[in-house]
Amino acid sequence: MVYVIELVGFDGDDTLWHSEGYYQEAHAEFEQIVGRYVDLGNLRLHDRLLATERRNIKLFGYGAKGMTLSLLEAAIEITGSRISAADLHRIIGIGKHVMSHPVKLLPGIREAIEAVAARYKIVLITKGDLFHQEQKVESSGLADLFHRIEIVSEKDERAYRRVLGEFGIDAGCFAMVGNSLRSDIAPVVALGGWGVYMPYHVTWAHEADTDFAASSPRVVQVQGADGIAEAVSELGLRTAA
């Protein structure tokens, strides 16, 4: 069966707009707070915090709210409940700051989306807290470019299969653009689709935890937004081949 790319999906965080840097700043401020109570050098703090966040994903989901609750839990556990109410309040403030950060688009991303939209139907597929993601989409000024916007709790084969089913499109006719091999590329390729991988300069350890290789023949890697349209065209040629 010969496939033709009909639908292109775009990730949101760290593909269209900057995001992970704000979370990294939040973790750094968290370390400063907790460091007043314990010796961080002996704690393996990054590993313990990541373990807490991973454990809580199924309960709290992704995003700033889940991160904040995990920071509070980790702070209480790490300090043996010695952390003050004032410092717990500071941690809540860290989460609020992440929730309210400005939406800054990656260089050239609007032009890249417009170029792809001139040839294909496009859909925004982003995961995280519904309220926060809706806020980001609205603030980005990009919503009018997409045929549809999907905010999902998890990006896995099931989620992509549902989206493709609602469009009535086979996975072989779908390409996904994103910065995460784990969430944006691997599940789509597993379904028989295609990927444009655009790495971001910093990646959350949870998203980096994958054995999927970017060298897959179903993936084209680009270094910036200006390479996206050409990469999608290249995938179109590969589907025909």
Side-chain angles (χ1 to χ4, degrees), residues 13-202:
D13 291 346
D14 299 321
T15 298
L16 304 186
W17 49 72
H18 297 283
S19 177
E20 181 58 25
Y22 297 105
Y23 288 86
Q24 296 287 331
E25 291 173 2
H27 286 177
E29 189 171 350
F30 170 78
E31 289 186 16
Q32 292 179 0
I33 294 172
V34 174
R36 292 200 290 269
Y37 296 87
V38 294
D39 181 1
L40 297 180
N42 297 325
L43 270 182
R44 298 181 65 191
L45 183 62
H46 289 288
D47 292 340
R48 293 184 64 173
L49 180 55
L50 178 62
T52 301
E53 290 179 316
R54 281 178 165 162
R55 185 172 66 242
N56 287 336
I57 284 174
K58 291 183 179 179
L59 292 173
F60 304 147
Y62 294 92
K65 292 178 183 176
M67 177 204 70
T68 303
L69 290 170
S70 292
L71 291 181
L72 290 169
E73 179 181 343
I76 293 169
E77 291 179 350
I78 290 169
T79 64
S81 299
R82 291 182 294 111
I83 189 168
S84 69
D87 280 333
L88 290 176
H89 192 262
R90 285 185 62 194
I91 293 174
I92 293 173
I94 292 173
K96 287 183 176 180
H97 178 72
V98 174
M99 286 287 293
S100 60
H101 71 72
V103 175
K104 297 181 179 179
L105 299 182
L106 270 66
I109 197 64
R110 184 179 183 92
E111 294 78 7
I113 297 171
E114 290 173 338
V116 174
R119 297 186 58 190
Y120 310 92
K121 286 184 178 179
I122 61 171
V123 56
L124 172 59
I125 308 176
T126 185
K127 72 179 179 183
D129 176 77
L130 177 62
F131 178 81
H132 195 198
Q133 290 298 320
E134 286 181 335
Q135 181 186 47
K136 288 181 180 181
V137 172
E138 182 179 357
S139 299
S140 73
L142 300 174
D144 61 306
L145 299 178
F146 293 95
H147 291 84
R148 186 165 176 167
I149 294 170
E150 289 280 345
I151 299 173
V152 299
S153 57
E154 182 63 270
K155 283 183 173 178
D156 52 18
E157 291 181 36
R158 179 180 179 183
Y160 287 110
R161 189 180 294 112
R162 177 185 61 79
V163 173
L164 293 174
E166 292 177 358
F167 273 94
I169 290 177
D170 190 284
C173 301
F174 176 65
M176 182 68 185
V177 181
N179 72 294
S180 170
L181 290 174
R182 178 191 178 103
S183 296
D184 301 321
I185 309 299
V188 172
V189 171
L191 291 175
W194 308 81
V196 176
Y197 175 47
M198 186 174 72
Y200 192 66
H201 68 275
V202 60

